[in-house]
């Protein structure tokens, strides 16, 4: 059972080798992807309309690169991140709003794909915890100040 | 001060410890699963990547028969590892279609010649757009699609020998 888990842990690693080979080939080769394909349209090219590009850039900074977890797609050199940037820019250019594109991706990958998690029963404690802790702190502070004044 | 309040910090601490121990004992599953399981395959129409083998559209996946949809690429190492298992599934009479991610005709032809060709159709997904619309986060991945085009199961990663039975079972149940 444990051995099997370890095997399973190897998988994401193999899937990420794409990222590593990319970095290696980048040093030698002209701009093509690890698999020798040129990058997708608008993967590394800005949209002609600056307002749309700004909207796309802001969105891309909050979307997770699924193969190099922990990075946003705007920061990642992975081929899949490039393809996701291409998708985001083309959808924004076609007139979709940033929220529509985010919802489209959430419908496919779940909340995991966004770094800006929506309020839901699962994330509610995350949003409420700071408020509750702050109120608790105020309550303690009030009680102890009152005691000192006495 | 009420007495029971004295125990509150200890109670919170215990909850944290129990949570930490439980999470440390079973490492979290980092696999990214598709949220499309249970939903219809989104509309797409991919051109063929090989001459002599048709491309793939969403319509092909709701033709009445359940099928396997394999997301793969010739440049993907685990795809080589799962090739014999796909051949086994094909030998069981299970139809398998494929989407080739960011690939070229010559590389795919070579890959299928070397590792076997279990596919009825292979669509050419140049910029991963169909992969993204399926909620797939890497290669290889395999979807079981029923005769009405509804995704009933997703297998992330290469198909091992021990996974063959479960995939065949899911395909059988989808009929």
């Amino acid at each position: 059972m444990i051995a099997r888990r370890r095997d399973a842990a190897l998988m994401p690693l193999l899937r990420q080798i794409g990222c590593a080979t990319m970095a290696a080939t980048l040093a030698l080769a002209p701009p093509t992807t690890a698999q020798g394909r040129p990058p997708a349209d608008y993967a590394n090219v800005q949209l002609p309309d600056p307002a749309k590009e700004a909207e796309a850039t802001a969105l891309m900074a909050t979307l997770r690169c699924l193969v190099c977890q922990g990075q946003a797609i705007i920061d990642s050199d992975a081929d899949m991140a490039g393809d996701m940037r291409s998708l985001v820019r083309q959808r924004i250019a076609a007139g979709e709003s940033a929220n529509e594109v985010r919802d489209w991706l959430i419908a496919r990958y779940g909340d995991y794909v966004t770094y800006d998690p929506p309020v839901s029963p699962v994330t509610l404690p995350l949003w409420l915890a700071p408020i509750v802790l702050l109120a608790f702190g105020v309550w303690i502070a009030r009680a102890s100040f009152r005691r000192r004044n006495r | 001060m009420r007495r029971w309040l004295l125990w509150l910090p200890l109670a919170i601490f215990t909850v944290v410890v129990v949570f930490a121990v439980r999470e440390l004992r079973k490492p979290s599953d980092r696999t990214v699963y598709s949220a499309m399981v249970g939903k219809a395959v989104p509309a797409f129409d991919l051109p063929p990547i090989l001459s002599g083998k048709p491309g793939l559209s969403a319509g092909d996946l709701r033709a009445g028969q359940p099928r396997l949809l394999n997301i793969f690429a010739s440049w993907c190492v685990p795809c080589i590892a799962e090739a014999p298992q796909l051949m086994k599934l094909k030998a069981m009479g299970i139809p398998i279609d494929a989407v080739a991610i960011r690939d070229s005709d010559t590389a795919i032809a070579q890959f299928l010649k070397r590792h076997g060709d279990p596919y009825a159709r292979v669509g050419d997904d140049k910029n991963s757009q169909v992969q993204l619309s399926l909620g797939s986060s890497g290669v290889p991945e395999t979807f079981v699609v029923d005769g009405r085009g509804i995704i009933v199961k997703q297998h992330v990663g290469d198909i091992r020998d021990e996974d063959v039975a479960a995939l065949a079972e899911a395909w059988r149940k989808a009929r």
Side-chain angles (χ1 to χ4, degrees):
Chain A
M1 194 62 205
I2 284 169
R4 207 189 116 84
R5 268 220 182 102
R6 260 188 212 140
D7 277 6
L10 207 69
M11 268 303 308
L13 195 76
L14 281 173
R15 282 149 69 102
Q16 277 169 24
I17 281 176
C19 301
T21 36
M22 169 93 191
T25 43
L26 210 64
L28 318 164
T32 54
T33 67
Q35 287 84 49
R37 263 197 183 280
D41 292 346
Y42 295 114
N44 304 319
V45 175
Q46 300 194 339
L47 291 172
D49 178 351
K52 298 231 172 200
E53 175 62 25
E55 192 180 2
T57 308
L59 175 62
M60 290 186 296
T62 65
L63 291 175
R64 187 190 298 268
C65 166
L66 294 157
V67 285
C68 17
Q69 302 168 10
Q71 266 185 316
I73 57 172
I74 200 166
D75 295 324
S76 173
D77 267 340
D79 294 335
M80 197 181 178
D83 290 343
M84 286 174 80
R85 286 195 298 273
S86 161
L87 178 130
V88 167
R89 284 203 175 102
Q90 291 191 28
R91 280 182 173 259
I92 298 267
E96 280 186 45
S97 73
N99 274 334
E100 281 169 331
V101 178
R102 188 196 305 279
D103 289 345
W104 188 89
L105 281 165
I106 288 176
R108 273 138 186 97
Y109 293 100
D111 291 344
Y112 185 75
V113 74
T114 168
Y115 283 121
D116 183 10
V119 182
S120 72
V122 180
T123 58
L124 206 60
L126 274 179
W127 291 91
L128 289 184
I131 301 170
V132 170
L133 288 176
L134 207 65
F136 189 60
V138 168
W139 179 70
I140 289 183
R142 223 185 51 170
S144 46
F145 280 132
R146 204 179 281 161
R147 217 174 296 151
R148 206 174 294 168
N149 287 347
R150 228 185 279 151
Chain B
M1 221 3 134
R2 274 151 286 183
R3 260 282 147 74
W4 61 269
L5 262 183
L6 279 177
W7 296 95
L8 191 63
L10 182 65
I12 293 174
F13 178 72
T14 314
V15 168
V16 170
V17 166
V18 166
F19 182 75
V21 167
R22 215 188 57 181
E23 292 299 304
L24 281 171
R25 283 164 62 101
K26 74 167 171 56
S28 60
D29 182 4
R30 296 299 187 92
T31 315
V32 184
Y33 294 100
S34 171
M36 294 296 283
V37 177
K39 295 185 194 159
V41 172
F44 70 87
D45 191 2
L46 289 176
I49 193 166
L50 295 168
S51 56
K53 206 179 260 292
L56 185 67
S57 74
D60 298 327
L61 296 169
R62 46 169 187 265
Q65 263 275 355
R67 316 179 72 85
L68 297 194
L69 173 59
N70 187 231
I71 314 286
F72 86 116
S74 67
W75 44 265
C76 138
V77 180
C79 296
I80 300 172
E82 77 168 2
Q85 281 69 256
L86 284 173
M87 294 306 282
K88 258 182 233 172
L89 286 162
K90 186 200 177 192
M92 293 162 94
I94 300 177
I96 307 172
D97 294 323
V99 171
I101 307 298
R102 255 181 272 115
D103 226 316
S104 71
D105 50 353
T106 49
I108 284 283
Q110 223 169 30
F111 181 92
L112 295 181
K113 204 172 136 201
R114 190 187 256 177
H115 305 292
D117 180 1
Y119 305 123
R121 298 186 180 83
V122 182
D124 182 8
D125 194 9
K126 280 190 173 63
N127 298 322
S128 318
Q129 300 303 303
V130 170
Q131 183 184 29
L132 291 173
S133 74
L134 284 165
S136 156
S137 54
V139 277
E141 278 186 22
T142 305
F143 293 90
V144 183
V145 183
D146 76 4
R148 292 168 303 143
I150 310 288
I151 299 169
V152 293
K153 183 185 165 73
Q154 180 197 24
H155 180 90
V156 178
D158 54 330
I159 301 168
R160 311 263 166 114
D161 228 5
E162 61 265 31
D163 303 322
V164 170
L167 277 168
E169 180 58 29
W171 177 80
R172 222 169 285 128
K173 266 206 288 197
R175 275 197 291 192

